[in-house]
Amino acid sequence: MDDFQLLVDLHRDAERQGPGGEAETRLSIALSGLSAAKNLRIADIGCGSGASTLVLAKHLEAQITAVDFIPDFLAKLEVEAARAGLAGRIRALAGSMEALPFGEAELDAIWSEGAIYNMGFEAGVAAWRKHLKPGGILAVSELTWLTRERPAELQAHWQREYSEIDTASGKLAILEKHGFSPLGYFVLPERCWLDNYYGPMEQRFASFLEAHGNSDAAFALVEAERHEVSLYERYKAFVGYGYYVARKVAG
Ligand code: SAH
């Protein structure tokens, strides 16, 4: 099994594949101003198994297209959507966030939690904008420096893993540069990382290693994840996920 398939295997049965939380998705909905809107068309990009998709479907009157390039994650979303009685509002679509199958000005909103980094924040913001109607909403969470200065070990790690990591003011400037007007920004609280993401993942390590016959590759993946958890635990005052909600400026 290659490294990518191992990664899918470690995260397939999880409720979410990145930091987040129901209350935080609801807060982004409140900031979007769409709570009372009708007949919305929304995309949830890099939805994984759909933790955010389910919250959007529950709290907005919308048809939601949930896009991810890993069919295993979408299959779990479809099961959960049916279980929650939300299947009629959600369409799961296997595809790349770099070639979205939407037309111009087709969507009222795009949500994307913990996923835009895969194509890069700026490239994603720039490319996805055309699919939004004028005044449409972009709501994304993105790895963010919480302070101007940070410890060298942390800086080196994230600079290597994701060179676009920046402070909130840097991310807001990118949004403005690409024709968005920021409506709100907040930081995901610790429990979104520790209780909702890292904790459940750590509980899966033993069965994951066993399922893969304790292979070197499986161990290496678990070690890399453990390292990331330890960095977060030690340095959470300096790094987190920022949630950015912005409106497309007409023109
Ligand atoms: N939004 C989910 C998943 C976040 S993890 C959550 O918060 O739980 C990032 C997701 O992006 C993964 O599900 C991964 O499969 C997806 N992804 C990564 N690169 C992608 C690409 N190029 N196109 C579509 N999806 C991608």
Side-chain angles (χ1 to χ4, degrees), residues 51-111:
S52 57
T53 320
L54 296 167
V55 179
L56 295 170
K58 195 162 134 200
H59 295 285
L60 287 169
E61 202 202 290
Q63 282 297 322
I64 303 172
T65 305
V67 182
D68 203 283
F69 71 171
I70 297 183
D72 284 3
F73 294 165
L74 295 174
K76 178 158 166 32
L77 165 58
E78 285 177 326
V79 170
E80 299 296 336
R83 189 173 293 156
L86 296 168
R89 290 188 168 196
I90 296 172
R91 179 169 68 115
L93 197 127
S96 170
M97 64 172 70
E98 298 188 54
L100 292 175
F102 305 111
E104 291 211 0
E106 191 180 317
L107 300 170
D108 296 288
I110 292 176
W111 254 266

Short mmCIF file of all heavy atoms in Angstrom, two decimals, residues 51-111:
data_model
loop_
_atom_site.label_atom_id
_atom_site.label_comp_id
_atom_site.label_asym_id
_atom_site.label_seq_id
_atom_site.Cartn_x
_atom_site.Cartn_y
_atom_site.Cartn_z
N ALA A 51 -18.12 16.53 7.69
CA ALA A 51 -18.53 17.08 8.99
C ALA A 51 -19.18 18.45 8.80
O ALA A 51 -20.26 18.72 9.35
CB ALA A 51 -17.33 17.17 9.92
N SER A 52 -18.56 19.31 8.01
CA SER A 52 -19.13 20.65 7.81
C SER A 52 -20.36 20.60 6.90
O SER A 52 -21.33 21.33 7.10
CB SER A 52 -18.09 21.60 7.22
OG SER A 52 -17.58 21.09 6.00
N THR A 53 -20.33 19.73 5.88
CA THR A 53 -21.45 19.62 4.94
C THR A 53 -22.76 19.35 5.68
O THR A 53 -23.80 19.94 5.39
CB THR A 53 -21.22 18.46 3.94
OG1 THR A 53 -19.85 18.44 3.54
CG2 THR A 53 -22.11 18.60 2.73
N LEU A 54 -22.69 18.45 6.66
CA LEU A 54 -23.90 18.06 7.39
C LEU A 54 -24.44 19.24 8.20
O LEU A 54 -25.65 19.45 8.28
CB LEU A 54 -23.61 16.86 8.31
CG LEU A 54 -23.22 15.58 7.55
CD1 LEU A 54 -22.64 14.54 8.51
CD2 LEU A 54 -24.42 14.99 6.81
N VAL A 55 -23.53 20.05 8.77
CA VAL A 55 -23.97 21.22 9.54
C VAL A 55 -24.60 22.25 8.61
O VAL A 55 -25.65 22.83 8.91
CB VAL A 55 -22.78 21.84 10.31
CG1 VAL A 55 -23.23 23.07 11.09
CG2 VAL A 55 -22.14 20.81 11.24
N LEU A 56 -23.99 22.46 7.45
CA LEU A 56 -24.54 23.42 6.47
C LEU A 56 -25.93 22.98 6.02
O LEU A 56 -26.87 23.78 5.93
CB LEU A 56 -23.61 23.54 5.26
CG LEU A 56 -22.22 24.13 5.53
CD1 LEU A 56 -21.32 23.96 4.30
CD2 LEU A 56 -22.32 25.61 5.90
N ALA A 57 -26.07 21.68 5.74
CA ALA A 57 -27.35 21.17 5.24
C ALA A 57 -28.44 21.28 6.30
O ALA A 57 -29.61 21.51 5.99
CB ALA A 57 -27.19 19.72 4.80
N LYS A 58 -28.02 21.14 7.56
CA LYS A 58 -29.00 21.20 8.65
C LYS A 58 -29.47 22.63 8.90
O LYS A 58 -30.63 22.86 9.22
CB LYS A 58 -28.33 20.63 9.91
CG LYS A 58 -29.27 20.29 11.03
CD LYS A 58 -28.58 19.34 12.01
CE LYS A 58 -28.82 19.80 13.44
NZ LYS A 58 -27.85 19.23 14.36
N HIS A 59 -28.58 23.60 8.74
CA HIS A 59 -28.90 24.96 9.18
C HIS A 59 -29.15 25.97 8.06
O HIS A 59 -29.44 27.12 8.33
CB HIS A 59 -27.78 25.48 10.09
CG HIS A 59 -27.69 24.69 11.36
ND1 HIS A 59 -28.60 24.82 12.38
CD2 HIS A 59 -26.83 23.71 11.75
CE1 HIS A 59 -28.28 23.98 13.36
NE2 HIS A 59 -27.22 23.29 13.00
N LEU A 60 -29.01 25.54 6.81
CA LEU A 60 -29.28 26.45 5.70
C LEU A 60 -30.29 25.80 4.77
O LEU A 60 -30.27 24.57 4.58
CB LEU A 60 -28.00 26.75 4.93
CG LEU A 60 -26.99 27.66 5.63
CD1 LEU A 60 -25.66 27.66 4.88
CD2 LEU A 60 -27.53 29.08 5.75
N GLU A 61 -31.13 26.61 4.14
CA GLU A 61 -32.03 26.06 3.15
C GLU A 61 -31.28 26.05 1.82
O GLU A 61 -31.28 27.03 1.08
CB GLU A 61 -33.30 26.90 3.05
CG GLU A 61 -34.42 26.06 2.46
CD GLU A 61 -35.51 26.91 1.85
OE1 GLU A 61 -36.23 27.56 2.60
OE2 GLU A 61 -35.60 26.89 0.61
N ALA A 62 -30.61 24.95 1.56
CA ALA A 62 -29.65 24.93 0.45
C ALA A 62 -29.53 23.56 -0.19
O ALA A 62 -29.76 22.54 0.45
CB ALA A 62 -28.27 25.34 0.98
N GLN A 63 -29.15 23.61 -1.47
CA GLN A 63 -28.65 22.41 -2.15
C GLN A 63 -27.14 22.49 -2.08
O GLN A 63 -26.54 23.48 -2.53
CB GLN A 63 -29.10 22.40 -3.61
CG GLN A 63 -30.55 21.99 -3.82
CD GLN A 63 -30.82 20.56 -3.37
OE1 GLN A 63 -29.98 19.68 -3.56
NE2 GLN A 63 -31.97 20.34 -2.76
N ILE A 64 -26.51 21.47 -1.53
CA ILE A 64 -25.07 21.53 -1.32
C ILE A 64 -24.37 20.47 -2.16
O ILE A 64 -24.73 19.29 -2.11
CB ILE A 64 -24.74 21.30 0.17
CG1 ILE A 64 -25.47 22.34 1.01
CG2 ILE A 64 -23.23 21.36 0.40
CD1 ILE A 64 -25.36 22.11 2.48
N THR A 65 -23.38 20.91 -2.95
CA THR A 65 -22.53 19.96 -3.67
C THR A 65 -21.25 19.82 -2.87
O THR A 65 -20.52 20.80 -2.65
CB THR A 65 -22.21 20.46 -5.09
OG1 THR A 65 -23.44 20.73 -5.76
CG2 THR A 65 -21.43 19.41 -5.87
N ALA A 66 -20.99 18.62 -2.40
CA ALA A 66 -19.82 18.35 -1.56
C ALA A 66 -18.75 17.68 -2.42
O ALA A 66 -18.98 16.61 -2.98
CB ALA A 66 -20.20 17.44 -0.40
N VAL A 67 -17.61 18.35 -2.57
CA VAL A 67 -16.58 17.90 -3.50
C VAL A 67 -15.34 17.41 -2.74
O VAL A 67 -14.84 18.09 -1.84
CB VAL A 67 -16.15 19.05 -4.44
CG1 VAL A 67 -15.10 18.57 -5.44
CG2 VAL A 67 -17.34 19.66 -5.15
N ASP A 68 -14.86 16.24 -3.13
CA ASP A 68 -13.59 15.75 -2.59
C ASP A 68 -13.03 14.77 -3.62
O ASP A 68 -13.77 14.22 -4.41
CB ASP A 68 -13.80 15.03 -1.25
CG ASP A 68 -12.52 14.99 -0.41
OD1 ASP A 68 -11.62 14.17 -0.71
OD2 ASP A 68 -12.41 15.80 0.53
N PHE A 69 -11.70 14.59 -3.62
CA PHE A 69 -11.17 13.65 -4.63
C PHE A 69 -10.94 12.25 -4.06
O PHE A 69 -10.40 11.40 -4.76
CB PHE A 69 -9.95 14.23 -5.35
CG PHE A 69 -8.66 14.34 -4.57
CD1 PHE A 69 -7.47 14.67 -5.23
CD2 PHE A 69 -8.60 14.12 -3.21
CE1 PHE A 69 -6.28 14.78 -4.56
CE2 PHE A 69 -7.40 14.22 -2.51
CZ PHE A 69 -6.25 14.56 -3.19
N ILE A 70 -11.41 12.03 -2.82
CA ILE A 70 -11.27 10.68 -2.26
C ILE A 70 -12.66 10.04 -2.09
O ILE A 70 -13.42 10.41 -1.19
CB ILE A 70 -10.50 10.72 -0.93
CG1 ILE A 70 -9.09 11.24 -1.22
CG2 ILE A 70 -10.47 9.34 -0.27
CD1 ILE A 70 -8.16 11.28 -0.06
N PRO A 71 -13.01 9.12 -2.98
CA PRO A 71 -14.35 8.52 -2.96
C PRO A 71 -14.70 7.86 -1.62
O PRO A 71 -15.87 7.88 -1.22
CB PRO A 71 -14.29 7.48 -4.09
CG PRO A 71 -13.23 8.00 -5.02
CD PRO A 71 -12.21 8.66 -4.14
N ASP A 72 -13.73 7.30 -0.93
CA ASP A 72 -14.02 6.66 0.37
C ASP A 72 -14.62 7.66 1.36
O ASP A 72 -15.51 7.33 2.14
CB ASP A 72 -12.75 6.08 1.00
CG ASP A 72 -12.32 4.79 0.32
OD1 ASP A 72 -12.98 4.39 -0.65
OD2 ASP A 72 -11.32 4.19 0.76
N PHE A 73 -14.11 8.89 1.35
CA PHE A 73 -14.65 9.91 2.26
C PHE A 73 -16.08 10.27 1.87
O PHE A 73 -16.96 10.42 2.71
CB PHE A 73 -13.78 11.18 2.25
CG PHE A 73 -12.38 11.01 2.79
CD1 PHE A 73 -11.41 11.98 2.56
CD2 PHE A 73 -12.03 9.91 3.56
CE1 PHE A 73 -10.12 11.84 3.06
CE2 PHE A 73 -10.73 9.76 4.07
CZ PHE A 73 -9.78 10.74 3.82
N LEU A 74 -16.30 10.39 0.55
CA LEU A 74 -17.65 10.76 0.07
C LEU A 74 -18.66 9.66 0.40
O LEU A 74 -19.82 9.96 0.71
CB LEU A 74 -17.61 11.00 -1.44
CG LEU A 74 -16.77 12.20 -1.88
CD1 LEU A 74 -16.70 12.26 -3.41
CD2 LEU A 74 -17.34 13.51 -1.35
N ALA A 75 -18.21 8.42 0.35
CA ALA A 75 -19.12 7.31 0.67
C ALA A 75 -19.59 7.43 2.12
O ALA A 75 -20.77 7.22 2.43
CB ALA A 75 -18.40 5.98 0.43
N LYS A 76 -18.69 7.79 3.01
CA LYS A 76 -19.08 7.96 4.42
C LYS A 76 -20.06 9.14 4.56
O LYS A 76 -21.04 9.06 5.29
CB LYS A 76 -17.84 8.17 5.30
CG LYS A 76 -18.17 8.42 6.76
CD LYS A 76 -16.98 8.08 7.64
CE LYS A 76 -17.00 8.55 9.07
NZ LYS A 76 -18.21 8.66 9.78
N LEU A 77 -19.78 10.21 3.82
CA LEU A 77 -20.69 11.36 3.86
C LEU A 77 -22.10 10.94 3.43
O LEU A 77 -23.10 11.33 4.06
CB LEU A 77 -20.17 12.49 2.94
CG LEU A 77 -21.17 13.60 2.60
CD1 LEU A 77 -21.71 14.28 3.84
CD2 LEU A 77 -20.52 14.62 1.68
N GLU A 78 -22.19 10.13 2.38
CA GLU A 78 -23.52 9.74 1.89
C GLU A 78 -24.27 8.91 2.93
O GLU A 78 -25.47 9.09 3.13
CB GLU A 78 -23.39 8.99 0.56
CG GLU A 78 -23.08 9.97 -0.57
CD GLU A 78 -22.87 9.32 -1.93
OE1 GLU A 78 -22.32 8.19 -1.97
OE2 GLU A 78 -23.23 9.95 -2.94
N VAL A 79 -23.55 8.05 3.62
CA VAL A 79 -24.18 7.25 4.67
C VAL A 79 -24.69 8.16 5.80
O VAL A 79 -25.83 8.05 6.25
CB VAL A 79 -23.18 6.20 5.24
CG1 VAL A 79 -23.73 5.54 6.49
CG2 VAL A 79 -22.84 5.17 4.17
N GLU A 80 -23.83 9.10 6.22
CA GLU A 80 -24.20 9.99 7.34
C GLU A 80 -25.34 10.92 6.93
O GLU A 80 -26.23 11.22 7.73
CB GLU A 80 -22.99 10.84 7.77
CG GLU A 80 -21.80 10.04 8.27
CD GLU A 80 -22.09 9.24 9.53
OE1 GLU A 80 -23.00 9.61 10.28
OE2 GLU A 80 -21.40 8.22 9.74
N ALA A 81 -25.33 11.38 5.67
CA ALA A 81 -26.39 12.28 5.20
C ALA A 81 -27.74 11.56 5.22
O ALA A 81 -28.75 12.12 5.66
CB ALA A 81 -26.07 12.79 3.80
N ALA A 82 -27.73 10.30 4.78
CA ALA A 82 -28.98 9.52 4.78
C ALA A 82 -29.44 9.31 6.22
O ALA A 82 -30.64 9.48 6.53
CB ALA A 82 -28.75 8.19 4.08
N ARG A 83 -28.51 9.00 7.09
CA ARG A 83 -28.85 8.76 8.50
C ARG A 83 -29.48 10.00 9.13
O ARG A 83 -30.38 9.91 9.96
CB ARG A 83 -27.58 8.35 9.25
CG ARG A 83 -27.83 7.87 10.65
CD ARG A 83 -26.57 7.32 11.28
NE ARG A 83 -26.10 6.09 10.65
CZ ARG A 83 -24.84 5.65 10.67
NH1 ARG A 83 -23.91 6.36 11.26
NH2 ARG A 83 -24.52 4.51 10.10
N ALA A 84 -28.98 11.17 8.73
CA ALA A 84 -29.48 12.43 9.33
C ALA A 84 -30.71 12.96 8.59
O ALA A 84 -31.22 14.03 8.94
CB ALA A 84 -28.37 13.47 9.30
N GLY A 85 -31.17 12.24 7.57
CA GLY A 85 -32.34 12.70 6.81
C GLY A 85 -32.02 13.90 5.94
O GLY A 85 -32.90 14.68 5.57
N LEU A 86 -30.74 14.06 5.57
CA LEU A 86 -30.32 15.24 4.80
C LEU A 86 -29.88 14.88 3.38
O LEU A 86 -29.37 15.73 2.64
CB LEU A 86 -29.16 15.95 5.52
CG LEU A 86 -29.51 16.54 6.90
CD1 LEU A 86 -28.24 16.95 7.64
CD2 LEU A 86 -30.45 17.73 6.75
N ALA A 87 -30.08 13.62 2.99
CA ALA A 87 -29.56 13.16 1.69
C ALA A 87 -30.12 14.00 0.53
O ALA A 87 -29.41 14.25 -0.45
CB ALA A 87 -29.88 11.69 1.48
N GLY A 88 -31.37 14.45 0.64
CA GLY A 88 -32.00 15.22 -0.44
C GLY A 88 -31.34 16.57 -0.68
O GLY A 88 -31.52 17.18 -1.73
N ARG A 89 -30.59 17.05 0.30
CA ARG A 89 -29.96 18.38 0.18
C ARG A 89 -28.50 18.31 -0.23
O ARG A 89 -27.86 19.33 -0.46
CB ARG A 89 -30.02 19.10 1.52
CG ARG A 89 -31.39 19.51 1.90
CD ARG A 89 -31.36 20.39 3.13
NE ARG A 89 -32.67 20.99 3.31
CZ ARG A 89 -32.91 22.02 4.09
NH1 ARG A 89 -31.93 22.57 4.78
NH2 ARG A 89 -34.11 22.51 4.20
N ILE A 90 -27.95 17.09 -0.23
CA ILE A 90 -26.49 16.96 -0.43
C ILE A 90 -26.20 16.08 -1.63
O ILE A 90 -26.72 14.97 -1.75
CB ILE A 90 -25.83 16.34 0.83
CG1 ILE A 90 -26.01 17.28 2.03
CG2 ILE A 90 -24.34 16.08 0.58
CD1 ILE A 90 -25.56 16.67 3.35
N ARG A 91 -25.33 16.58 -2.52
CA ARG A 91 -24.84 15.77 -3.63
C ARG A 91 -23.35 15.62 -3.45
O ARG A 91 -22.62 16.62 -3.35
CB ARG A 91 -25.14 16.50 -4.95
CG ARG A 91 -24.66 15.75 -6.18
CD ARG A 91 -25.21 16.39 -7.45
NE ARG A 91 -24.63 17.72 -7.66
CZ ARG A 91 -23.83 18.03 -8.70
NH1 ARG A 91 -23.55 17.14 -9.62
NH2 ARG A 91 -23.34 19.25 -8.83
N ALA A 92 -22.88 14.39 -3.36
CA ALA A 92 -21.44 14.15 -3.21
C ALA A 92 -20.82 13.99 -4.58
O ALA A 92 -21.31 13.23 -5.41
CB ALA A 92 -21.21 12.88 -2.37
N LEU A 93 -19.74 14.71 -4.82
CA LEU A 93 -19.15 14.74 -6.15
C LEU A 93 -17.65 14.49 -6.08
O LEU A 93 -16.93 15.25 -5.42
CB LEU A 93 -19.44 16.10 -6.76
CG LEU A 93 -19.26 16.20 -8.25
CD1 LEU A 93 -20.52 16.75 -8.87
CD2 LEU A 93 -18.08 17.09 -8.59
N ALA A 94 -17.20 13.44 -6.73
CA ALA A 94 -15.77 13.13 -6.73
C ALA A 94 -15.07 13.98 -7.79
O ALA A 94 -15.42 13.92 -8.96
CB ALA A 94 -15.54 11.64 -7.03
N GLY A 95 -14.13 14.79 -7.36
CA GLY A 95 -13.43 15.63 -8.32
C GLY A 95 -12.37 16.46 -7.63
O GLY A 95 -12.25 16.46 -6.40
N SER A 96 -11.60 17.17 -8.45
CA SER A 96 -10.50 17.96 -7.92
C SER A 96 -10.92 19.39 -7.63
O SER A 96 -11.65 20.00 -8.43
CB SER A 96 -9.34 17.97 -8.92
OG SER A 96 -8.38 18.93 -8.49
N MET A 97 -10.44 19.92 -6.53
CA MET A 97 -10.70 21.33 -6.20
C MET A 97 -10.00 22.26 -7.19
O MET A 97 -10.28 23.44 -7.25
CB MET A 97 -10.25 21.64 -4.78
CG MET A 97 -8.76 21.51 -4.54
SD MET A 97 -8.29 22.13 -2.91
CE MET A 97 -8.98 20.91 -1.82
N GLU A 98 -9.09 21.71 -7.99
CA GLU A 98 -8.37 22.55 -8.95
C GLU A 98 -9.08 22.62 -10.30
O GLU A 98 -8.63 23.33 -11.19
CB GLU A 98 -6.94 22.02 -9.11
CG GLU A 98 -6.20 22.10 -7.80
CD GLU A 98 -4.72 21.79 -7.91
OE1 GLU A 98 -4.06 22.43 -8.73
OE2 GLU A 98 -4.26 20.90 -7.18
N ALA A 99 -10.16 21.88 -10.44
CA ALA A 99 -10.94 21.93 -11.69
C ALA A 99 -12.41 21.71 -11.32
O ALA A 99 -13.01 20.69 -11.63
CB ALA A 99 -10.46 20.85 -12.65
N LEU A 100 -12.98 22.67 -10.64
CA LEU A 100 -14.34 22.50 -10.13
C LEU A 100 -15.35 22.51 -11.28
O LEU A 100 -15.22 23.28 -12.23
CB LEU A 100 -14.67 23.63 -9.13
CG LEU A 100 -13.88 23.58 -7.83
CD1 LEU A 100 -14.20 24.80 -6.98
CD2 LEU A 100 -14.17 22.30 -7.05
N PRO A 101 -16.37 21.67 -11.17
CA PRO A 101 -17.32 21.51 -12.29
C PRO A 101 -18.49 22.50 -12.23
O PRO A 101 -19.60 22.16 -12.59
CB PRO A 101 -17.83 20.08 -12.05
CG PRO A 101 -17.83 19.95 -10.57
CD PRO A 101 -16.67 20.75 -10.06
N PHE A 102 -18.22 23.72 -11.77
CA PHE A 102 -19.30 24.70 -11.68
C PHE A 102 -19.12 25.76 -12.77
O PHE A 102 -18.01 26.05 -13.19
CB PHE A 102 -19.29 25.38 -10.31
CG PHE A 102 -19.37 24.41 -9.17
CD1 PHE A 102 -18.29 24.22 -8.32
CD2 PHE A 102 -20.54 23.68 -8.94
CE1 PHE A 102 -18.36 23.30 -7.28
CE2 PHE A 102 -20.61 22.77 -7.90
CZ PHE A 102 -19.53 22.58 -7.07
N GLY A 103 -20.25 26.36 -13.15
CA GLY A 103 -20.19 27.45 -14.11
C GLY A 103 -19.86 28.76 -13.43
O GLY A 103 -19.62 28.82 -12.22
N GLU A 104 -19.87 29.83 -14.24
CA GLU A 104 -19.61 31.16 -13.69
C GLU A 104 -20.83 31.65 -12.93
O GLU A 104 -21.97 31.44 -13.36
CB GLU A 104 -19.30 32.14 -14.82
CG GLU A 104 -17.98 31.82 -15.46
CD GLU A 104 -17.26 33.06 -16.00
OE1 GLU A 104 -17.80 34.17 -15.88
OE2 GLU A 104 -16.18 32.87 -16.56
N ALA A 105 -20.57 32.31 -11.81
CA ALA A 105 -21.63 32.96 -11.02
C ALA A 105 -22.80 32.03 -10.72
O ALA A 105 -23.95 32.40 -10.80
CB ALA A 105 -22.11 34.22 -11.73
N GLU A 106 -22.46 30.79 -10.39
CA GLU A 106 -23.49 29.77 -10.19
C GLU A 106 -23.83 29.59 -8.70
O GLU A 106 -24.92 29.14 -8.36
CB GLU A 106 -22.95 28.46 -10.77
CG GLU A 106 -23.96 27.36 -10.90
CD GLU A 106 -23.32 26.10 -11.48
OE1 GLU A 106 -22.53 26.18 -12.44
OE2 GLU A 106 -23.63 25.02 -10.95
N LEU A 107 -22.91 29.94 -7.84
CA LEU A 107 -23.06 29.57 -6.43
C LEU A 107 -23.32 30.79 -5.54
O LEU A 107 -22.77 31.86 -5.76
CB LEU A 107 -21.78 28.87 -5.94
CG LEU A 107 -21.40 27.58 -6.66
CD1 LEU A 107 -19.99 27.14 -6.26
CD2 LEU A 107 -22.41 26.47 -6.34
N ASP A 108 -24.15 30.57 -4.52
CA ASP A 108 -24.36 31.62 -3.51
C ASP A 108 -23.23 31.62 -2.48
O ASP A 108 -22.97 32.65 -1.86
CB ASP A 108 -25.69 31.37 -2.78
CG ASP A 108 -26.86 31.50 -3.73
OD1 ASP A 108 -27.16 32.63 -4.13
OD2 ASP A 108 -27.45 30.46 -4.10
N ALA A 109 -22.62 30.46 -2.28
CA ALA A 109 -21.55 30.39 -1.28
C ALA A 109 -20.65 29.19 -1.53
O ALA A 109 -21.08 28.16 -2.05
CB ALA A 109 -22.16 30.28 0.12
N ILE A 110 -19.39 29.37 -1.15
CA ILE A 110 -18.43 28.27 -1.13
C ILE A 110 -17.90 28.15 0.29
O ILE A 110 -17.41 29.14 0.85
CB ILE A 110 -17.26 28.52 -2.11
CG1 ILE A 110 -17.76 28.47 -3.55
CG2 ILE A 110 -16.15 27.50 -1.88
CD1 ILE A 110 -16.69 28.79 -4.60
N TRP A 111 -18.03 26.98 0.86
CA TRP A 111 -17.39 26.69 2.15
C TRP A 111 -16.22 25.75 1.90
O TRP A 111 -16.24 24.94 0.95
CB TRP A 111 -18.39 25.99 3.10
CG TRP A 111 -18.89 26.87 4.20
CD1 TRP A 111 -18.36 26.97 5.46
CD2 TRP A 111 -19.99 27.79 4.16
NE1 TRP A 111 -19.08 27.88 6.21
CE2 TRP A 111 -20.09 28.41 5.42
CE3 TRP A 111 -20.91 28.16 3.18
CZ2 TRP A 111 -21.05 29.35 5.74
CZ3 TRP A 111 -21.88 29.11 3.48
CH2 TRP A 111 -21.94 29.70 4.75
#
